[in-house]
Amino acid sequence: MSPARQARVPEGLALITKGESLEIVLEWLEMAHRMGFTEVQLQVCWHPLSSRELEAIAERLRSLALTCRSVGVYNDLLRPSSYHFFNTSGAELRQILDWIPGAGLREAVVWSGSYADDLLADDPRNHTAEARSALKHSIEELLPALERAGTRLVIEPWYTHVLASAADLRELCEAYPESLGVVIDVANLLRPEDWSHRGAAIEATVT
């Protein structure tokens, strides 16, 4: 096989292109194209985020004929003004939601949120009715922007965050069926004490 020939990548397999700057994201997109990927998932991890930078990403996707269905913003819905998760906040999320329709994307991915400053750490306040109420308030604030964009907000769970179980996720998605989706990453919901019976825990999560 010629060294210049692209490898064949299974259809539907996307490369995550994560970057702390525009230049890094563009480099990842070029790399994805050289590797033979036709689909990518963007992950934006910087602020401030400009319309010029977003248009540069959209133009590079078009020029490389890359399909991108989702963009990870991964801010904290419990504290939307904070930048402590992945260097983005609710402000960047709203910019992304305004940008998505013209760029041909379908959804934005976020964390449900935590009162702990460390992404993976626990905080007892996360597991309270007040935290769930704050989360719902943040989501309802975003509903007009989601409707305008014709897109969904996709939540990636973690077992120490406010959405800590499959039951929590199901309940929230049923409350906003047109606006919310979930990243199905079963390992994110497995607590250390679950590992000894992880088969049963995984089955309970996916069903």
Side-chain angles (χ1 to χ4, degrees):
M1 183 175 70
S2 166
R5 185 178 175 184
Q6 292 179 338
R8 292 183 63 85
V9 174
E11 186 176 351
L13 185 65
L15 182 69
I16 295 177
T17 54
K18 176 182 177 182
E20 291 76 30
S21 70
L22 172 64
E23 291 72 22
I24 293 174
V25 166
L26 296 182
E27 287 175 8
W28 270 109
L29 295 179
E30 295 283 352
M31 186 184 303
H33 177 68
R34 291 196 300 271
M35 293 170 66
F37 283 89
T38 58
E39 296 188 29
V40 295
Q41 177 184 317
L42 286 170
Q43 193 166 325
V44 174
C45 304
W46 74 88
H47 74 275
L49 187 61
S50 71
S51 57
R52 178 193 62 81
E53 290 172 317
L54 291 174
E55 181 49 40
I57 292 172
E59 176 56 35
R60 190 62 54 90
L61 288 169
R62 288 190 291 267
S63 69
L64 298 174
L66 291 172
T67 298
C68 183
R69 291 183 171 84
S70 63
V71 53
V73 187
Y74 284 102
N75 64 301
D76 184 343
L77 290 181
L78 278 188
R79 295 184 283 172
S81 62
S82 173
Y83 288 93
H84 64 282
F85 285 174
F86 288 22
N87 208 23
T88 54
S89 75
E92 285 68 41
L93 174 58
R94 288 181 178 276
Q95 281 182 274
I96 292 291
L97 292 178
D98 288 340
W99 171 71
I100 276 177
L105 280 70
R106 299 180 185 175
E107 54 201 24
V109 188
V110 297
W111 296 111
S112 64
S114 173
Y115 288 116
D117 287 333
D118 184 278
L119 173 64
L120 305 183
D122 204 350
D123 188 304
R125 294 172 294 172
N126 293 344
H127 314 295
T128 63
E130 290 77 12
R132 289 190 291 274
S133 178
L135 174 62
K136 288 183 178 180
H137 176 75
S138 289
I139 291 170
E140 288 171 0
E141 290 275 294
L142 292 168
L143 291 179
L146 291 168
E147 185 175 351
R148 284 194 306 273
T151 191
R152 296 188 308 164
L153 192 67
V154 176
I155 295 176
E156 181 159 353
W158 185 259
Y159 71 89
T160 60
H161 291 184
V162 59
L163 295 184
S165 69
D168 291 340
L169 292 163
R170 189 174 298 113
E171 179 182 351
L172 191 68
C173 287
E174 287 175 353
Y176 307 98
E178 302 299 320
S179 303
L180 294 187
V182 176
V183 174
I184 304 299
D185 191 338
V186 178
N188 285 8
L189 294 174
L190 290 180
R191 299 173 180 275
E193 59 267 27
D194 292 333
W195 278 99
S196 61
H197 56 278
R198 56 188 175 275
I202 290 171
E203 183 176 354
T205 298
V206 299
T207 57

